[in-house]
């Protein structure tokens, strides 16, 4: 392909790497940290018989819920008869790092940690290996029959001796079985719908096993990079005039495609581009890594300064544990410890636009404006749950699905909450924005517009008696009075 396409792919790869390692290991980067015991949250494709043990999986617009497949559908406008598409499927393969102590008989026994004579501690932990498969496919071939390619990864075991013969580190990987199918269908003159579907084709060793036992067979943080030669992708967020209906016909499941690479020059059609990133997290068109960021912190949220400051404040013992936890954590610590002052000062912030941000008079955040979407009113819309109309002000009990639910939502199972709004997603699904009753910052979250989101089948309406009891137990005025200092 042309050099410009290759350069654009390289630029987009920086964003794709941030997606690949989003949440890989979170501050304080230690194995003992509770947040690092629940990992692998996005784009996880597991064996189908495990995912659908209880019921078929419900498609979502992004990949925060477990699935066995991802489906990307997008529009492609062709400029040349020899147009081609480059498809790059990327994911992480789980790797278990086991530390083993040497025994007198020449054997080894697994241990949680081992300290060598040089004072370095080695910890057993879960790592991951990046995997990537790239295809260059002429559009003519995709129209005739499509293309299916294996994108899995082999099993493997690697042994690394530790100093002084005290033991060894063993890294083991289970086989990942997966395939990707790419097809195209004509929609009109020089307009095509491109479909990329990646599936986990393995059978679970035990469909009844807990999630952690089958993660070794999974594709983690799965996403797809697409580049067009002799064609251009159409934005699904802001399509050109006349293509809105065709865009609505695209069905994406567990992934969210956006235009990649730099925006078009001023005066050009910014609703199309030569690159597409289909990621398990929701991004805007033309996402980019902040130029001030000196390196990955596994939290792609432009909070480098606070994470760097907190990392600087770790004790020597905490830093030693983080270094022993994972090589990527060690590299983060090295970068923070050696960061020049002029690099650190750039993390304090940057002005991206001089356009003032306006907060609506309603007090709701800017992205929630009544009347912003024809026929939709988040504050007054309702949805039927067990025959009860649930909307703003309704009180519910949270009951996230045991399988396929966001892992963070599982911590709220059984808690009561108040519904703030009903939102209709771009894929046609419905989510309820809620504030949890016993959250001491519930009022502040409501004011800022920071909510937890649940599907209608993940809540149960409270009956009048439960509503009264819940309201009495979590009365904000009473709580403030109880917290007020006594004089």
């Amino acid at each position: 392909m042309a050099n410009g396409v290759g350069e654009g792919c390289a630029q987009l790869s920086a964003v794709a790497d941030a997606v690949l390692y989003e949440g890989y290991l979170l501050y304080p980067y230690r194995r003992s940290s509770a947040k690092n015991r629940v990992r692998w949250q996005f784009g996880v494709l597991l064996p189908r018989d495990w995912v659908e043990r209880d019921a078929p999986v419900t498609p979502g617009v992004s990949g925060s819920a477990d699935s066995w497949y991802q489906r990307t559908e997008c529009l492609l406008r062709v400029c040349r008869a020899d147009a081609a598409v480059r498809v790059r499927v990327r994911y992480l393969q789980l790797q278990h790092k086991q530390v083993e102590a040497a025994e007198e008989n020449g054997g080894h026994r697994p241990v949680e940690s081992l300290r060598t004579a040089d004072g370095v501690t080695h910890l057993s932990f879960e790592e991951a290996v990046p995997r990537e498969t790239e295809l260059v496919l002429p559009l003519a071939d995709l129209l005739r029959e499509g293309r299916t390619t294996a994108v899995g990864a082999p099993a493997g075991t690697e042994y690394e001796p530790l100093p002084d013969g005290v033991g060894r580190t063993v890294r083991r990987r289970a086989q990942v079985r997966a395939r990707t199918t790419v097809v195209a269908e004509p929609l009109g003159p020089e307009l095509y719908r491109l479909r990329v579907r990646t599936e986990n084709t393995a059978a679970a060793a035990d469909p009844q096993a807990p999630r952690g036992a089958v993660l070794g067979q999974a594709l983690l943080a799965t996403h797809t990079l697409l580049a067009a030669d002799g064609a251009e992708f159409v934005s699904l967020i802001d399509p050109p005039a006349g293509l809105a209906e065709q865009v609505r016909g695209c069905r994406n499941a567990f992934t969210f495609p956006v235009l990649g690479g730099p925006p078009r020059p001023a005066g050009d059609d910014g609703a199309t581009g030569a690159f597409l990133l289909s990621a398990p997290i929701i991004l805007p068109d033309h996402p980019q890594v902040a130029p001030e960021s000196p390196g990955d912190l596994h939290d792609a949220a432009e909070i480098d300064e606070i994470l760097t400051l907190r990392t600087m404040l770790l004790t020597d013992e905490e830093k030693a544990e983080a270094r022993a936890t994972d090589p990527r954590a060690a590299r983060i610590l090295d970068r923070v410890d050696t960061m020049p002052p002029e690099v650190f000062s750039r993390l304090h912030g940057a002005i991206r636009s001089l356009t003032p941000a306006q907060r609506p008079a309603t007090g709701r955040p800017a992205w929630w404006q009544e009347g912003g979407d024809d026929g939709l009113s988040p504050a007054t819309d309702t949805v039927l749950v067990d025959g009860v109309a649930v909307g703003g002000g309704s009180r519910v009990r949270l009951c996230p699905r045991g399988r396929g639910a966001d892992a963070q939502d599982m911590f709220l199972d059984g808690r009561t909450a108040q519904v703030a709004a009903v939102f209709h997603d771009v894929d046609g699904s419905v989510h309820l924005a809620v504030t949890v009753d016993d959250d001491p910052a519930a009022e502040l979250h409501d004011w800022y517009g920071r909510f937890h989101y649940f599907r209608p089948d993940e809540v149960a309406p409270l009956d009048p008696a439960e509503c009264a009891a819940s309201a009495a137990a979590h009365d904000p005025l009473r709580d403030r009075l109880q917290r007020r200092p006594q004089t």
Side-chain angles (χ1 to χ4, degrees):
M1 287 192 173
N3 290 336
V5 172
E7 293 171 3
C9 281
Q11 181 178 358
L12 186 56
S13 290
V15 178
D17 284 343
V19 171
L20 188 66
Y21 288 102
E22 168 74 22
Y24 171 82
L25 189 66
L26 299 176
Y27 170 87
Y29 308 116
R30 305 192 314 267
R31 184 185 69 171
S32 60
S33 173
K35 67 176 71 173
N36 287 319
R37 298 175 189 173
V38 182
R39 302 167 72 198
W40 325 119
Q41 302 303 319
F42 301 99
V44 180
L45 305 187
L46 293 147
R48 182 175 185 175
D49 56 351
W50 186 89
V51 174
E52 298 192 335
R53 181 186 67 181
D54 300 323
V57 64
T58 301
V61 72
S62 64
S64 60
D66 293 339
S67 176
W68 60 274
Y69 74 95
Q70 267 186 4
R71 183 180 66 237
T72 298
E73 289 190 356
C74 58
L75 298 184
L76 192 66
R77 292 202 302 200
V78 175
C79 309
R80 296 199 320 258
D82 62 344
V85 179
R86 176 176 295 187
V87 180
R88 188 181 299 175
V89 179
R90 309 172 83 236
Y91 62 91
L92 295 175
Q93 179 186 17
L94 188 67
Q95 175 172 270
H96 182 67
K97 179 183 69 173
Q98 179 65 60
V99 177
E100 296 183 350
E103 296 185 313
E104 293 183 358
N105 62 5
H108 293 82
R109 58 182 175 83
V111 294
E112 286 299 305
S113 65
L114 189 63
R115 183 183 291 271
T116 53
D118 56 5
V120 176
T121 299
H122 300 266
L123 299 177
S124 297
F125 196 59
E126 287 183 342
E127 303 172 337
V129 178
R131 300 299 186 191
E132 183 175 292
T133 300
E134 183 172 279
L135 308 169
V136 179
L137 307 171
L139 182 61
D141 292 353
L142 300 180
L143 289 170
R144 281 193 292 266
E145 56 186 8
R147 180 77 66 84
T148 297
T149 303
V151 296
T157 303
E158 299 167 0
Y159 299 89
E160 179 185 353
L162 296 177
D164 307 314
V166 298
R168 65 185 184 182
T169 298
V170 184
R171 289 177 167 86
R172 296 184 174 89
R173 299 177 299 277
Q175 182 181 20
V176 175
R177 297 179 181 272
R179 67 182 174 218
T180 293
T181 300
V182 187
V183 297
E185 60 176 312
L187 297 181
E190 301 180 340
L191 181 66
Y192 301 85
R193 178 178 291 119
L194 187 70
R195 180 182 302 111
V196 182
R197 182 182 176 96
T198 298
E199 303 175 352
N200 187 316
T201 59
D206 178 6
Q208 306 301 318
R211 184 174 185 265
V214 295
L215 281 173
Q217 296 179 268
L219 294 76
L220 310 172
T222 315
H223 60 281
T224 304
L225 291 173
L226 296 159
D229 185 19
E232 56 187 9
F233 297 103
V234 173
S235 169
L236 301 188
I237 298 175
D238 184 22
L243 293 181
E245 182 178 351
Q246 291 88 336
V247 163
R248 283 193 293 269
C250 293
R251 295 289 181 262
N252 290 282
F254 306 104
T255 188
F256 191 79
V258 297
L259 296 182
R264 292 291 181 89
D268 208 341
D269 185 356
T272 61
F275 308 100
L276 197 81
L277 170 61
S278 188
I281 58 178
I282 295 177
L283 297 169
D285 280 337
H286 309 293
Q288 59 181 316
V289 174
E292 298 81 13
S293 178
D296 197 1
L297 290 165
H298 303 324
D299 192 324
E302 291 200 88
I303 56 172
D304 288 31
E305 182 182 33
I306 190 170
L307 285 177
T308 299
L309 285 169
R310 291 193 174 202
T311 302
M312 288 178 174
L313 294 176
L314 292 174
T315 65
D316 291 341
E317 292 78 11
E318 290 172 328
K319 288 184 177 181
E321 182 188 348
R323 291 182 186 279
T325 294
D326 188 89
R328 291 184 175 274
R331 289 198 287 272
I332 290 174
L333 294 175
D334 291 341
R335 188 171 67 244
V336 168
D337 287 344
T338 60
M339 185 178 295
E342 60 271 17
V343 174
F344 179 76
S345 65
R346 292 202 300 267
L347 301 182
H348 186 61
I351 298 175
R352 305 293 185 203
S353 172
L354 295 178
T355 303
Q358 298 292 331
R359 185 178 182 85
T362 59
R364 293 298 183 189
W367 50 266
W368 176 355
Q369 299 187 43
E370 294 296 332
D373 292 294
D374 292 339
L376 299 179
S377 175
T380 60
D381 283 348
T382 61
V383 61
L384 284 179
V385 179
D386 296 334
V388 178
V390 172
S394 299
R395 305 190 78 89
V396 296
R397 187 174 304 280
L398 306 177
C399 45
R401 298 183 302 270
R403 190 172 291 256
D406 189 300
Q408 302 302 318
D409 291 345
M410 299 304 296
F411 293 112
L412 304 177
D413 189 21
R415 308 266 281 276
T416 60
Q418 181 167 321
V419 176
V422 177
F423 288 106
H424 297 264
D425 285 344
V426 293
D427 65 346
S429 62
V430 177
H431 279 82
L432 303 175
V434 306
T435 53
V436 180
D437 284 335
D438 58 359
D439 183 348
E443 286 182 284
L444 186 62
H445 291 329
D446 181 70
W447 189 86
Y448 273 114
R450 299 180 62 182
F451 303 106
H452 297 280
Y453 294 89
F454 290 84
R455 295 177 184 271
D457 62 351
E458 294 182 306
V459 304
L462 299 183
D463 60 38
E466 288 180 306
C467 286
S470 177
H474 305 292
D475 177 60
L477 177 60
R478 186 206 61 185
D479 291 344
R480 285 199 297 270
L481 291 174
Q482 288 181 344
R483 292 195 298 268
R484 184 177 180 181
Q486 299 296 315
T487 57

